[in-house]
Structures are given as C-alpha cells and as structure tokens.
Amino acid sequence: MAEELLAATDIHTFYGRSHVLRGVSLSLGRGETVSLLGRNGMGKTTLINSILGLVPHSSGAVVYEGHDISAVPTHEIARRGIAYVPEGRGIFPNLSVKENLLVAARPGPTGRLDWTFDRVMSTFPKLKLRLGNGGDQLSGGEQQMLSIARALLTNPDLLILDEATEGLAPLIAQEIWKVIDIIKETKISTLIVDKNLKAMGKISDRAVILVKGEIVFDGSMRELFSRSQDLNNWLGV
Ligand SMILES: Nc1ncnc2c1ncn2[C@@H]1O[C@H](COP(=O)(O)OP(=O)(O)O)[C@@H](O)[C@H]1O
Ligand SMILES: [Mg+2]
C-alpha cells in the first residue's frame, strides 16, 4: 500500500447505550480512493464523525499523518488537511456562492495550492454562472458541487464525501463522479460513501464494507465484485 495517511484502529462508538461501532479499523494510503459501503444505519456516517471528532469514540485510536488526533478538535483536524463534505452538504445558505467559496479558500497544511478559485471555476462551470446566488437558491446538484468545491479550496490531503450523490438526478450524479475522477488525479486521498456501487467500482482503489458497526470486507474492488453472494448479503445488491 501507499504511504499511510489515516489509520483508525479498533474504534468503538456509542450513542447513549447503543453500541454503534464495534471495533472498526480503517486505513487510507496517500493518494488512495476508498469506498465505504454498507446499508443504511450500519455506521458509515458515525465512523466518519468519529474520525473527525464530531462524535466521541469511547476507545480506539485515530492516527493522521503519524499523529494521534483522537483528542484534537474538529476545526484543527480540518486545518491539518482533512476536508469533509457531509451528508446534507452544510453550505452557508445566507452567503452567496462566491462568499461560500472564498471563506474556505486557503493553502493546504504544507502550503500546497493546487486548488484555486480559478481552477474551481473551470472545474465547476455551473457554479460560475451562480456566483451571485445565495447558497439557498441552488438546486441539490449545485449545492453538492458547491460543497465539494469549497472542500477542495482548503487544499486538503484527504477529502471525505458522505453520500456523494444522494438524491441527485442521474445526469447530475454523473457530473459529480467526473469531478471525483479529477480530484483523484490531483493525488488527494478520498473516502467516499455512496449507494452507486458501479460508479464506485470504477473510481475506487479499495472498498470497505460495514455491517452493524463491524467491518466485514476490506479489499480490492475486483475481489468485491467476484463475491456476488456476499455482496448481496452485505449490501442487498
Ligand atoms: N445522533 C445519533 N443518536 C443516536 N443514534 C444515532 C445517531 N446517529 C446515528 N444513530 C444510529 O446509529 C446507527 C448508525 O447510523 P449511521 O452512522 O448514520 O449509519 P449510516 O451512515 O451507515 O447510514 C443507526 O442505528 C442510527 O440510527
Ligand atoms: Mg450516513
């Protein structure tokens, strides 16, 4: 595997008395694109939130670039180079598209500046037409583009996309997949949650599957697709 960027080890997370993550380990190499799969309610978002410190984990370690970030506040984790496009997108509804982008823009933690405002404009031509619009005046697809564009402008080393194309029309979803392909070329590591197994298969180096808060598969896409019976059990596809 490529040089390790992120390693979550034996993570346990509870909501009250509900034991949601039951010893999850997940690692990501530098420049790697990994799909995080699982049916609804299996713990994908909880795992992401546990990694980012948005939900406390009760045990286990999260190591990013060789440092344990378990006790590091979320905003500081972001500053160290992890960008998050959450389910529901989290854009500022009362700021314009341009403002949403400009508040995010900064060089990466090591000074890298691959993603500039101009590059984002040429990658997302639809946003360019909407710069003066409020965040709340965008279609779902435009909101998702904005959320991804904003994440890229922080020049992250790792981009986490939860439900990347959820609720988007197929043509719009296709545009998002194309953008993820471009992101991949700029050597950003990506952790993607989505239901579209076919699209993920094309784009990912590896897949990790969660069932009821436990990892049941961690391997190549090729191996995953060769296990059709298991796929059916794990994902219902
Ligand atoms: N804030 C919360 N409080 C209590 N239970 C939650 C909360 N968020 C998620 N859960 C529960 O934790 C489990 C995993 O949820 P989640 O991580 O959102 O799954 P996924 O992202 O795979 O759909 C589900 O049973 C869900 O109902
Ligand atoms: Mg989720």
Side-chain angles (χ1 to χ4, degrees):
M1 194 174 87
E3 183 198 343
E4 193 164 83
L5 184 64
L6 175 79
T9 310
D10 200 20
I11 302 293
H12 288 263
T13 300
F14 292 77
Y15 292 114
R17 284 159 67 185
S18 162
H19 192 177
V20 173
L21 296 184
R22 300 165 170 267
V24 173
S25 296
L26 169 81
S27 68
L28 234 122
R30 207 173 271 282
E32 207 181 15
T33 303
V34 174
S35 292
L36 177 57
L37 305 167
R39 299 181 207 223
N40 282 338
M42 292 301 168
K44 303 179 299 295
T45 300
T46 301
L47 175 58
I48 292 168
N49 287 340
S50 299
I51 289 170
L52 297 175
L54 290 164
V55 166
H57 49 281
S58 64
S59 65
V62 182
V63 173
Y64 179 69
E65 290 193 313
H67 301 282
D68 192 333
I69 57 166
S70 293
V72 174
T74 304
H75 63 89
E76 170 61 18
I77 293 174
R79 218 186 50 78
R80 291 191 194 183
I82 305 183
Y84 183 27
V85 175
E87 214 174 341
R89 288 139 205 167
I91 57 181
F92 301 116
N94 50 352
L95 294 186
S96 71
V97 168
K98 188 171 186 179
E99 288 164 339
N100 262 283
L101 293 170
L102 291 181
V103 292
R106 63 172 186 236
T110 54
R112 190 155 68 127
L113 234 170
D114 288 339
W115 288 94
T116 58
F117 186 77
D118 288 346
R119 180 164 187 189
V120 159
M121 286 298 97
S122 58
T123 307
F124 301 89
K126 280 195 176 140
L127 287 184
K128 193 171 179 177
L129 302 171
R130 302 291 241 142
L131 282 176
N133 285 87
D136 55 355
Q137 296 171 322
L138 302 179
S139 69
E142 288 165 343
Q143 284 181 33
Q144 185 64 335
M145 305 261 181
L146 176 56
S147 192
I148 295 172
R150 214 178 49 173
L152 290 173
L153 278 174
T154 67
N155 285 284
D157 294 310
L158 169 59
L159 175 66
I160 300 179
L161 288 161
D162 196 2
E163 302 294 356
T165 65
E166 169 105 276
L168 302 182
L171 276 176
I172 310 286
Q174 243 177 53
E175 287 182 40
I176 302 278
W177 292 115
K178 273 190 209 144
V179 166
I180 294 172
D181 225 5
I182 294 171
I183 296 170
K184 204 176 148 89
E185 284 165 21
T186 61
K187 303 275 189 287
I188 294 175
S189 307
T190 314
L191 181 65
I192 314 173
V193 174
D194 198 84
K195 304 267 174 326
N196 187 337
L197 193 59
K198 200 171 156 205
M200 306 253 267
K202 281 193 201 141
I203 225 160
S204 306
D205 302 309
R206 192 152 58 86
V208 173
I209 302 184
L210 270 176
V211 173
K212 294 183 182 161
E214 293 181 65
I215 303 275
V216 296
F217 178 88
D218 184 342
S220 70
M221 279 294 177
R222 181 200 292 248
E223 189 192 343
L224 181 61
F225 286 120
S226 73
R227 295 173 64 172
S228 56
Q229 187 56 48
D230 290 329
L231 258 181
N232 185 34
N233 290 337
W234 295 329
L235 304 175
V237 293

